[in-house]
């Protein structure tokens, strides 16, 4: 059975076994914990009920729900379940234009780590694959269907990963050109995990001084933990550095917490 709206969800509550096994105090504590994590779901998303059942929504007896004004709580539970159970659209953009590419390897590693922790549907875009048609288009109207589809994927992502190689102290101009064609309202409140690779540590601040301001323009939510790697972190285009692997794990951990599925406390390290 698939539930597509809160009203449909409410109808299912009539099947709840009573009495409610949660005491009022427990319900309140539960509500408090939910309040911290609830986010608005996107319209048109759906939820399969078995996941919701597992997490206690079924424990709300209808009689008690009336007495304790639990409609709001039920709605919050529903929305939490929605966020937890639907697959997140994660779009990863690797801003390298050469192959092999350390930026691509880093992007894939971040995606893989996220996939360990979140139910994601990932879409990887390599700038190199669309570089030429993208570069020759001066406006969105000039784009072919393939590149247009990639831009739309970026605009509709639940979470973006943007990774760039450092070119002349910044991200590549072609990557900026891509974002010049992105709708200026499309990324409002979209979480963005930033990553970059450079020849050395010297340009590590590219994340904070170049990429972050770009996404501030879009009013996107750049995640506090980004990932910067240097050529020394790779051997034969494989990540060999343990600190880099730890940084990728940390970045994914923090991103996961944003979607409200982490019960464990966050690591307090930078
Ligand atoms: C045109 C160009 C400019 C570069 N400029 C810088 C730079 O300013 N700072 C830096 O640390 N690395 C610089 N690099 C090195 C790349 O950032 C680094 O090798 C990166 O990992 C390449 O990513 P890729 O393997 O995905 O292509 C430059 C490389 C190229 C090709």
């Amino acid at each position: 059975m698939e539930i597509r709206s809160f009203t449909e969800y409410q109808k299912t509550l009539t099947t709840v076994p009573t009495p409610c096994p949660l005491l009022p105090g427990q319900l309140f504590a539960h509500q408090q914990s939910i309040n911290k994590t609830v986010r608005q779901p996107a319209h048109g998303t759906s939820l399969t009920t078995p996941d919701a059942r597992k997490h206690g929504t079924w424990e709300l007896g209808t009689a008690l729900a009336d007495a304790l004004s639990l409609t709001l709580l039920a709605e919050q539970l529903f929305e939490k379940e929605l966020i937890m159970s639907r697959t997140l659209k994660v779009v990863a953009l690797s801003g390298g234009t050469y192959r092999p590419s350390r930026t691509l390897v880093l992007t894939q590693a971040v995606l893989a780590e996220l996939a360990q922790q979140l139910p994601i549907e990932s879409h990887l875009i390599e700038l190199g694959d669309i570089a030429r048609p993208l570069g020759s288009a001066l406006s969105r109207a000039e784009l072919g269907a393939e590149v247009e589809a990639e831009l739309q994927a970026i605009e509709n992502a639940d979470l973006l990963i943007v990774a760039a190689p450092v070119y002349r102290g910044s991200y590549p101009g072609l990557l900026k050109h891509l974002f010049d064609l992105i709708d200026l309202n499309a990324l409002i409140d979209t979480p963005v995990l930033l990553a970059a690779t450079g020849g050395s540590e010297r340009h590590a601040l590219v994340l904070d001084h170049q990429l972050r301001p770009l996404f501030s323009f879009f009013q996107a939510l750049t995640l506090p933990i980004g990932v910067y790697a240097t050529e020394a972190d790779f051997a034969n285009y494989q990540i060999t550095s343990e600190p880099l692997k730890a940084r990728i794990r940390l970045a994914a951990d923090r991103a996961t917490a944003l979607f409200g599925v982490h019960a464990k406390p966050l690591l307090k390290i930078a």
Side-chain angles (χ1 to χ4, degrees):
M1 178 187 179
E2 208 169 47
I3 301 177
R4 293 187 180 279
S5 69
F6 180 62
T7 314
E8 283 180 34
Y9 166 73
Q10 274 179 314
K11 284 182 195 153
T12 69
L13 285 179
T14 56
T15 63
V16 167
T18 53
C20 174
L22 288 181
L23 298 172
Q26 291 174 303
L27 281 169
F28 180 73
H30 199 34
Q31 181 173 16
Q32 294 303 94
S33 73
I34 290 160
N35 281 343
K36 290 184 190 145
T37 51
V38 167
R39 295 179 75 242
Q40 282 295 115
H43 292 299
T45 48
S46 64
L47 157 82
T48 47
T49 53
D51 279 341
R53 288 189 185 116
K54 266 191 269 163
H55 292 277
T57 23
W58 251 238
E59 293 166 8
L60 303 177
T62 43
L64 256 181
D66 284 345
L68 298 169
S69 301
L70 286 174
T71 307
L72 178 63
L73 172 56
E75 187 168 351
Q76 288 172 335
L77 278 167
F78 171 75
E79 295 194 350
K80 186 185 181 198
E81 297 305 336
L82 197 67
I83 288 294
M84 288 173 67
S85 57
R86 82 182 166 88
T87 305
L88 294 166
K89 284 180 287 178
V90 179
V91 175
L93 172 60
S94 174
T97 43
Y98 301 105
R99 276 281 196 125
S101 162
R102 292 180 193 88
T103 313
L104 176 61
V105 171
L106 179 60
T107 310
Q108 288 168 326
V110 173
L111 258 182
E113 192 62 43
L114 272 173
Q116 301 255 333
Q117 305 194 27
L118 281 171
I120 66 169
E121 170 196 307
S122 63
H123 178 64
L124 176 62
I125 302 169
E126 284 185 60
L127 191 63
D129 287 345
I130 55 172
R132 288 185 171 81
L134 175 72
S136 64
L138 297 181
S139 72
R140 189 95 177 226
E142 294 177 22
L143 289 176
E146 188 201 346
V147 184
E148 173 60 32
E150 299 295 42
L151 296 201
Q152 285 182 20
I154 290 170
E155 290 172 341
N156 294 318
D158 292 319
L159 169 66
L160 267 183
I161 299 169
V162 178
V166 185
Y167 282 4
R168 306 287 185 260
S170 185
Y171 49 79
L174 194 59
L175 188 61
K176 177 65 162 62
H177 181 59
L178 184 153
F179 282 102
D180 287 346
L181 298 181
I182 290 286
D183 184 289
L184 58 91
N185 292 314
L187 302 183
I188 293 174
D189 286 348
T190 300
V192 184
L193 198 165
L194 302 172
T197 69
S200 74
E201 299 283 357
R202 261 174 242 122
H203 284 134
L205 282 174
V206 69
L207 292 177
D208 295 316
H209 290 192
Q210 308 288 333
L211 284 166
R212 207 176 288 285
L214 171 63
F215 292 99
S216 297
F217 166 82
F218 283 107
Q219 301 173 51
L221 303 175
T222 55
L223 303 189
I225 297 288
V227 184
Y228 182 80
T230 71
E231 290 175 8
D233 291 318
F234 300 81
N236 296 321
Y237 290 88
Q238 299 291 314
I239 297 173
T240 49
S241 146
E242 290 306 321
L244 176 59
K245 290 178 189 170
R247 185 72 177 180
I248 292 167
R249 276 195 299 274
L250 180 65
D253 229 37
R254 293 287 173 89
T256 301
L258 190 76
F259 290 95
V261 294
H262 248 232
K264 67 182 185 191
L266 289 174
L267 292 170
K268 298 282 186 198
I269 57 169

